[in-house]
């Protein structure tokens, strides 16, 4: 790190190590909300605009050694406390996990790049909106409408959304707080219990545990406009009771014979900004702590801990899934299933052998990419004997917040809002006829959560709600809810795995493509080419290291076009129905399809799907359309002319004149769930390693450790990505041998004799076969051991005359391997202050703008100098051109308060009249 020697005040003026490249322009709107000019400046920028300023914030790109850069963007306002998190991306680069700085408005990520990343090519995305650019991305969608909901038959079972017959009782408990890794303050242990009354003869009661997601945590009951981010909440602020937001579901479940508890995790929401896993491990810790408490009290509540169902909303969804992965079979409680409502899935993982229903709101304005779909897709390939159901339920017209009454305006104790941020008259807007009202959305939530609980408790009559069957229940009215599923005893065939493409016929164009999305239309091998403004939850963005899957793609321009998949291991459709998870390309609108089945003898028959040939696209609107797989179902029972027990190929036959679809997989699906083995996959945990840099420039290899908990009985595999190491980002496959209990990930680095920052390499793992991950983030820290460079800065002249430039010179005792940044704020100082008119007009127009009063003192214009001394250089000069106005004004002054790391210095320079 640099050393800044103390210098006599007489030598200083507006100076800095890596000082300003210019004064940051401030628009009137920004000036109205600008910070106190005596406070620290915003982060320096190298982004777009005349001086590199983003229209709505400031970029900072810092070389931190080798080909590694720390990229950050500072918002004019604090980021909202949402479940999604701001991420930096673009330019085809793979960034590490983002973190939020303590100021609450700066997002930072590390990236490896051969060249300095240009912020012009980067974006900061939060909840689907590029927040580094003005305006909302989901715009100009007025007039778009969704396709009508497909026909539905009544479910042949009692409506799960209706209350049962048992009377209920409510209570609350508070236990000792729990210390959680990475959190300064312990986490509260508060539970809200709704259960059948003690005198109700229910028999052993399954326990349903709810965990809310990330939301604001403090509010002022007396002033809805008063806001605080201090934790714990201090008077007049009180905690937002997010855990009470599921009481409406709890009461229905309790009346049906289940014990329920909803737990509060405001302490995590207040402290998880700096955690690279988004706080998932912390939430899992609290889940287990509450279940441990119920071990002691279960008997008094008639609770059967052999049947525990976890329900997590938003980040709570990822938290309960993390708990399901980590809870061993030896625990005194068993996770029978989990319901994940609008969840995040930053890890792209899932819980093997745990039945899972993931509820995805189509109009989610928070987790807008519906990344919870990964809980289903990832579960398909991890374990060949995993028969647990993985179901995705898409709720048209539902948003993120209204599943929780404490996040719903009008009924919440604290201020709340509708998270959908598009046009109110457009699709998903509150005036859209397809948008669910808050009460209607809660009705859907109640029915599907309660239906899943009943299914996990062993009642297969509720399976049609989750397996793609066209059914509904009265309690949800005319809500459009769709589903698909994998697992559950299905005999699946995967494109590019067990299944290969047949020869296309009659004008069909087919391929097995890679499940990645990109704006480029020329990437022919990628399924999602040209889909930059669409949401593609089944596919990974091109350039990301997250493992992708293969899909079957077919397009056509005439009826009768035929193409599909063939496989050596036959499907038996004599009793099971055929399911194809099928994505319709909304740019081709609705499609018509029939299905051709061919047996081992070459005999074939064409059948019509359940509900008819039409399969609708899911609404085309920029930044809203989801390319989500719908269930294309075929009931071939009684079909003549083909051996249904020996089906060797399944092909699509176009019944429309044009279209494009992708098939994620196809399966023979039974009408009842298969038993789930009482197993857990071994878990891989990444570690962290610290090494000294050394002086040799020879390439070295450090080995980041990992450990495996449990026994690997067959070959397993994980994909590992490293970001920040010497050279480019790397993605490697790591094979795990049977019986292996530990291993290492090689990461290269080089030493030098240059003062550098410590070099941090992020290591991330994704399981792909035979193993799960718990601590999926690790890292290598290479400690710089070279002498610190000494930085000096001073004005070339302490006094200048009008018309002469003010020059500040920054020097270092030796070149550094990193950029050195300094920021400053022009403040009110001694003497007569320079005014905007004392600086050359062209410079002021470029750097300050035109909508301000240039006759005002410079310190009132919120000008904040900043700049950098680039890595590898030793000297930097900043020139501030003064203007000779030939008016006798006497001595004028410019005073700047400088901020460098922890250093704060105020310097003044004098400007004299021309002679």
């Amino acid at each position: 790190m640099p050393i800044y020697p103390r210098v006599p005040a007489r030598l200083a003026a507006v100076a800095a190590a890596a000082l300003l490249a210019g004064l940051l322009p401030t628009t009137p709107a920004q000036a109205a909300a600008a910070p106190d000019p005596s406070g620290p400046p915003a982060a320096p920028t190298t982004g777009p605009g005349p001086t590199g300023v983003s229209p709505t914030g400031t970029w900072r790109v810092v070389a931190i050694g080798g080909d590694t850069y720390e990229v950050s963007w500072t918002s004019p306002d604090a980021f909202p406390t949402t479940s999604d998190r701001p991420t930096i991306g673009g330019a085809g680069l793979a960034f590490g996990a983002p973190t939020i700085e303590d100021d609450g408005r700066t997002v930072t990520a590390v990236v490896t790049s051969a060249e300095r990343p240009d912020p012009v090519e980067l974006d900061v995305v939060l909840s689907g909106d590029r927040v580094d650019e003005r305006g909302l991305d989901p715009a100009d969608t007025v007039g778009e409408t969704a396709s009508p909901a497909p026909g539905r038959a009544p479910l042949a079972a009692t409506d799960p959304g209706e209350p049962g017959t048992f009377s209920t009782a409510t209570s609350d408990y508070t236990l000792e707080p729990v210390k959680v890794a990475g959190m300064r303050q312990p986490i509260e242990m508060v539970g809200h219990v709704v259960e059948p009354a003690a005198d109700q003869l229910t028999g052993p009661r399954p326990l349903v545990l709810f965990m809310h997601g990330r939301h604001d945590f403090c509010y002022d009951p007396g002033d809805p406009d008063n806001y605080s981010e201090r934790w714990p909440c201090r008077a007049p602020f009180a905690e937002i009771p997010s855990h009470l937001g599921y009481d409406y579901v709890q009461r229905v479940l309790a009346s049906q014979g289940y014990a329920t508890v909803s737990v509060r995790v405001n302490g995590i929401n207040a402290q998880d900004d700096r955690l690279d896993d988004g706080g998932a491990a912390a939430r899992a810790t609290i889940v287990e702590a509450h279940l441990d408490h119920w071990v002691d009290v279960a008997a008094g509540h008639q609770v059967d801990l052999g049947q525990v169902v976890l329900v997590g909303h938003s980040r709570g969804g990822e938290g309960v899934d993390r708990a399901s992965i980590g809870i061993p079979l030896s625990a005194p409680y068993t996770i029978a299933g989990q319901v994940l409502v609008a969840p995040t899935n930053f890890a792209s993982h899932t819980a093997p052998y745990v039945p899972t229903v993931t509820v995805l709101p189509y109009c989610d304005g928070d987790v807008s990419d519906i990344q919870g779909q990964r809980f289903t897709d990832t579960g398909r390939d991890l374990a060949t004997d995993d028969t647990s159901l993985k179901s995705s339920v898409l709720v048209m017209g539902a948003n993120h917040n209204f599943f929780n009454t404490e996040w719903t305006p009008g009924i919440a104790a604290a201020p709340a809002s509708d998270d959908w941020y598009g046009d109110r008259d457009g699709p998903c807007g509150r005036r859209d006829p397809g948008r669910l009202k808050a009460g209607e959305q809660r009705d859907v939530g109640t029915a599907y959560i309660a239906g899943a609980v009943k299914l996990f408790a062993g009642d297969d009559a509720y399976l049609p709600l989750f397996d793609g069957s066209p059914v509904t229940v009265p309690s949800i009215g005319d809500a459009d809810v769709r589903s698909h599923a994998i697992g559950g005893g299905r005999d699946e065939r995967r494109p590019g795995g067990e299944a290969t493409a047949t020869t296309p016929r009659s004008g069909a164009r087919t391929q097995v493509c890679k499940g990645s999305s990109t704006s480029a239309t020329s990437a022919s091998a990628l399924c999602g080419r040209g889909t930059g403004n669409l949401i593609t939850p089944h596919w990974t963005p091109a350039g990301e290291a997250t493992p992708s899957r293969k899909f079957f793609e077919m397009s056509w321009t005439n009826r009768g076009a035929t193409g599909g998949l063939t496989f050596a291991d036959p499907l038996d459709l004599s009793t099971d129905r055929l399911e194809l998870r099928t994505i319709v390309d909304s740019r081709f609108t609705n499609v018509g399809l029939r299905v051709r089945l061919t047996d081992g003898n070459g005999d074939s028959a064409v059948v019509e799907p359940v509900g008819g040939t039409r399969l609708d696209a899911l609404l085309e609107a920029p930044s809203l359309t989801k390319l989500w797989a719908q269930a294309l179902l075929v009931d071939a029972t009684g079909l003549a002319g083909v051996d249904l027990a020996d089906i060797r190929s399944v092909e699509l036959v176009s019944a429309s004149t044009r279209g494009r679809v992708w098939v994620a997989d196809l399966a023979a699906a039974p009408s009842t769930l298969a038993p789930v083995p009482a197993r857990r996959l071994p878990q891989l945990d990444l570690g962290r390693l610290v090494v000294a840099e050394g002086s040799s420039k020879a390439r070295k290899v450090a080995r980041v450790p990992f450990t495996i908990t449990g026994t690997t009985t067959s070959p397993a595999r994980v994909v590992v990505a490293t970001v920040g190491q010497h050279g480019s980002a790397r993605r490697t496959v790591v094979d795990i041998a049977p019986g292996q209990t530990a291993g290492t990930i090689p990461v290269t680095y080089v030493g030098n004799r240059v003062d550098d920052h410590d070099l941090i390499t992020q290591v991330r793992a994704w399981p792909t076969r035979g193993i799960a991950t718990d601590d999926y983030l690790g890292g290598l820290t290479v400690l710089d051991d070279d002498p610190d460079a000494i930085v000096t800065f001073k004005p070339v002249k302490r006094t200048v005359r009008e018309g002469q430039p003010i020059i500040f010179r920054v020097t270092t005792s030796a070149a550094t391997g990193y950029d050195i940044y300094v920021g400053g704020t022009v403040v009110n100082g001694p003497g007569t202050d320079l005014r905007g008119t004392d600086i050359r007009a062209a410079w002021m127009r470029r750097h300050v703008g035109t909508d301000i009063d240039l006759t005002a003192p410079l310190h009132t214009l919120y000008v904040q100098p900043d700049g950098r001394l680039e890595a590898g250089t030793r000297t930097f000069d900043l020139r501030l051109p003064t203007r000779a106005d030939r008016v006798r004004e006497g001595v004028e002054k410019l005073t700047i308060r400088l901020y460098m790391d922890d250093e704060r210095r105020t310097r003044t320079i004098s400007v004299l009249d021309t002679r």
Side-chain angles (χ1 to χ4, degrees):
M1 295 295 294
I3 295 175
Y4 303 98
R6 296 194 175 276
V7 294
R10 66 179 183 274
L11 296 180
V14 186
L19 214 142
L20 35 122
L23 301 179
L24 302 184
T26 306
T27 66
Q30 290 169 328
D36 182 344
S38 64
T45 178
T46 59
T51 60
V53 180
S54 170
T56 60
T58 52
W59 285 97
R60 173 169 169 166
V61 179
V62 182
I64 57 176
D67 296 322
T68 304
Y69 297 86
E70 183 181 82
V71 180
S72 61
W73 181 78
T74 298
S75 168
D77 304 301
F79 291 120
T81 308
T82 59
S83 282
D84 198 12
R85 59 183 178 183
T87 57
I88 300 175
L93 298 174
F95 285 80
T99 57
I100 308 300
E101 303 299 328
D102 289 338
D103 63 4
R105 60 193 186 100
T106 300
V107 57
T108 301
V110 173
V111 66
T112 301
S113 176
E115 299 179 352
R116 175 184 294 272
D118 184 352
V120 171
E121 300 178 356
L122 303 179
D123 290 310
V124 179
V125 179
L126 175 62
S127 299
D129 184 41
R130 291 170 294 177
V131 293
D132 61 314
E133 298 182 16
R134 288 196 180 98
L136 294 171
D137 287 326
D140 301 324
T141 60
V142 177
E144 300 283 1
T145 57
S147 300
R152 296 281 190 263
L155 178 72
T158 303
D159 187 343
E162 292 295 336
T165 60
F166 298 110
S167 60
T168 64
T170 300
S171 61
D172 298 272
Y173 64 79
T174 300
L175 309 175
E176 284 296 315
V178 173
K179 184 64 178 174
V180 174
M183 305 263 175
R184 296 175 184 172
Q185 296 288 338
I187 308 306
E188 72 271 25
M189 284 286 292
V190 175
H192 174 66
V193 178
V194 185
E195 60 188 332
D199 61 352
Q200 299 296 289
L201 302 177
T202 62
R205 304 167 181 176
L207 176 67
V208 184
L209 183 148
F210 290 77
M211 173 172 279
H212 66 84
R214 193 166 191 269
H215 193 72
D216 291 332
F217 38 86
C218 299
Y219 79 109
D220 183 349
D223 183 357
D225 295 324
N226 200 7
Y227 179 74
S228 174
E229 288 190 342
R230 297 183 68 181
W231 180 258
C233 304
R234 302 179 184 179
F237 292 95
E239 287 195 50
I240 294 177
S242 291
H243 66 306
L244 301 183
Y246 311 105
D247 181 82
Y248 70 99
V249 190
Q250 291 182 266
R251 290 181 181 275
V252 172
L253 286 169
S255 73
Q256 295 172 352
Y258 303 98
T260 72
V261 58
S262 183
V263 304
R264 197 176 75 200
V265 286
N266 280 336
I268 294 177
N269 290 346
Q271 302 178 83
D272 64 0
D273 269 352
R274 301 302 300 272
L275 300 180
D276 46 15
D277 73 344
R283 291 177 173 87
T285 298
I286 298 303
V287 169
E288 294 189 52
H290 278 278
L291 291 178
D292 289 341
H293 163 70
W294 277 89
V295 171
D296 297 329
V297 301
H301 293 262
Q302 304 178 50
V303 166
D304 175 13
L305 290 179
Q307 295 188 82
V308 174
V309 177
L310 304 179
V311 181
H313 181 195
S314 199
R315 286 203 195 182
E318 188 164 7
V320 302
D321 181 79
R322 187 79 172 265
S324 294
I325 292 174
I327 293 173
L329 293 176
S330 59
Y333 35 79
T334 299
I335 308 303
Q338 57 183 6
V339 184
L340 315 177
V341 181
T344 60
N345 194 350
F346 301 136
S348 294
H349 61 188
T350 196
Y353 303 105
V354 177
T356 302
V357 168
T358 303
V359 178
L360 305 171
Y362 198 87
C363 300
D364 195 323
D366 186 343
V367 189
S368 60
D369 60 354
I370 57 172
Q371 60 188 255
Q373 178 60 41
R374 302 172 192 169
F375 288 108
T376 298
D377 292 347
T378 302
R380 188 190 68 183
D381 305 324
L382 287 183
T384 57
D385 65 342
D386 181 5
T387 55
S388 64
L389 179 76
K390 297 291 191 288
S391 168
S392 292
V393 175
L394 186 69
V395 185
M396 305 301 293
N399 74 353
H400 188 87
N401 284 354
F402 290 177
F403 290 109
N404 185 312
T405 58
E406 293 300 332
W407 300 358
T408 303
I411 57 176
S417 64
D418 180 355
D419 56 277
W420 180 253
Y421 47 83
D423 190 291
R424 63 183 180 178
D425 293 310
C428 292
R430 63 176 181 268
R431 293 181 179 175
D432 176 18
R435 175 67 189 274
L436 295 179
K437 294 180 173 59
E440 295 171 334
Q441 183 168 325
R442 292 196 298 275
D443 289 341
V444 173
T446 300
Y448 277 83
I449 292 171
V453 170
K454 292 177 182 297
L455 180 64
F456 299 153
D459 193 340
D460 284 347
Y462 293 92
L463 177 59
L465 287 174
F466 307 101
D467 67 1
S469 298
V471 299
T472 189
V473 293
S475 64
I476 71 170
D478 59 359
D480 183 1
V481 183
R482 314 184 187 201
S483 65
H484 67 231
I486 62 168
R490 284 164 174 76
D491 187 9
E492 293 158 346
R493 300 292 180 270
R494 302 169 299 174
E498 305 87 358
T500 58
T502 63
T503 301
R505 305 183 300 281
S506 304
R509 289 179 294 176
T510 68
Q511 66 167 335
V512 173
C513 55
K514 180 181 179 181
S516 294
S517 58
T518 177
S519 296
T521 57
S522 58
S524 59
L526 303 186
C527 305
R529 56 197 178 278
T531 58
N533 66 341
L534 304 178
I535 294 172
T536 57
H538 299 279
W539 301 334
T540 60
E544 275 198 8
T546 309
S548 60
R549 282 163 283 276
K550 299 289 187 179
F551 289 71
F552 169 75
E553 176 185 325
M554 174 173 157
S555 60
W556 63 92
T557 55
N558 56 271
R559 288 185 173 88
T562 302
L565 295 168
T566 183
F567 29 85
D569 187 13
L571 281 180
D572 185 353
L573 300 179
S574 58
T575 57
D576 295 348
R577 76 180 183 189
L578 176 66
E579 298 178 355
L580 300 93
R581 291 199 299 155
T582 305
I583 303 169
V584 179
D585 190 340
S586 60
R587 296 166 296 181
F588 285 76
T589 66
N590 307 324
V591 301
L593 293 170
R594 294 184 175 88
V595 177
R596 180 186 298 276
L597 306 176
T598 303
D599 64 20
N601 294 322
D603 296 325
S604 64
V606 176
V607 293
E608 190 167 296
V610 174
T613 62
R614 176 168 166 164
L615 191 62
D616 290 343
L618 294 175
L619 167 65
E620 183 184 9
S623 301
L624 172 60
T625 298
K626 277 80 170 170
L627 296 183
W628 183 82
Q630 302 178 68
L632 183 66
L633 309 178
V634 174
D635 183 358
T637 304
L639 183 66
V642 63
D643 184 357
L644 292 176
D646 186 31
I647 298 302
R648 301 300 181 99
S649 73
V650 175
E651 295 178 296
L652 301 177
V653 180
S654 64
S656 57
T657 56
R658 63 194 297 264
R660 177 187 287 142
V661 296
W662 296 270
V663 176
D665 40 52
L666 57 87
S671 59
T672 59
L673 291 178
V676 180
R679 296 177 188 166
R680 290 292 183 267
L681 287 181
Q683 297 172 33
L684 182 144
D685 297 294
L686 286 176
R688 299 180 186 269
L689 179 67
V690 178
V691 299
E693 176 190 56
S695 300
S696 172
K697 294 183 179 180
R699 189 177 298 243
K700 305 179 185 69
V701 177
R703 297 195 170 274
V704 176
F706 64 81
T707 57
I708 297 173
T709 303
T711 303
T712 53
T713 58
S714 60
R717 175 171 289 180
V718 295
V719 171
V720 174
T722 55
V723 177
Q725 78 282 6
H726 179 76
S728 61
R730 290 178 173 83
R731 182 177 183 271
T732 58
V733 172
V734 177
D735 288 316
I736 309 296
Q740 185 173 342
T741 59
T744 60
I745 308 297
V747 180
T748 60
Y749 71 99
V750 295
N752 58 39
R753 298 175 183 268
V754 177
D755 178 20
D756 278 326
H757 288 307
D758 296 338
L759 180 62
I760 299 175
T761 297
Q762 294 182 351
V763 183
R764 178 172 181 170
W766 295 271
T768 60
R769 187 183 70 207
I771 201 165
T773 52
D774 189 18
D775 290 332
Y776 64 96
L777 294 163
L780 168 69
T781 300
V782 180
L783 298 177
D784 180 65
D785 52 10
D786 298 296
D788 293 331
I790 298 174
V791 179
T792 59
F793 50 92
K794 60 182 179 180
V796 173
K797 294 182 178 180
R798 290 184 297 144
T799 301
V800 301
R801 291 191 178 274
E802 290 180 345
Q804 295 178 339
I806 299 173
I807 303 175
F808 306 98
R809 181 160 295 158
V810 184
T811 60
T812 61
S813 59
T816 65
Y818 51 84
D819 297 341
I820 300 174
Y821 275 88
V822 168
T825 300
V826 177
V827 297
N828 191 12
T832 302
D833 291 323
L834 280 182
R835 297 178 179 271
T837 51
D838 292 315
I839 306 299
R840 289 187 179 180
W843 195 97
M844 291 297 293
R845 285 194 301 270
R846 179 183 177 193
H847 294 276
V848 182
T850 58
D851 297 330
I852 58 174
D853 181 10
L854 294 180
T855 65
L858 209 58
H859 78 269
T860 67
L861 301 181
Y862 298 100
V863 290
Q864 295 181 329
D866 78 288
R868 74 171 185 267
L869 180 65
E870 292 189 2
T873 62
R874 295 185 56 190
T875 303
F876 172 74
D877 281 356
L878 169 78
R879 295 173 180 269
L880 183 66
T882 65
R883 173 176 171 267
D885 55 16
R886 302 190 183 279
V887 176
R888 291 194 174 275
E889 300 164 305
V891 178
E892 295 173 289
K893 304 283 186 177
L894 179 68
T895 302
I896 293 184
R897 184 164 296 154
L898 302 171
Y899 303 87
M900 293 180 297
D901 294 332
D902 295 329
E903 294 277 333
R904 292 192 178 196
R905 299 180 185 179
T906 301
R907 298 291 183 259
T908 300
I909 194 167
S910 300
V911 181
L912 308 180
D913 291 332
T914 55
R915 289 189 177 90

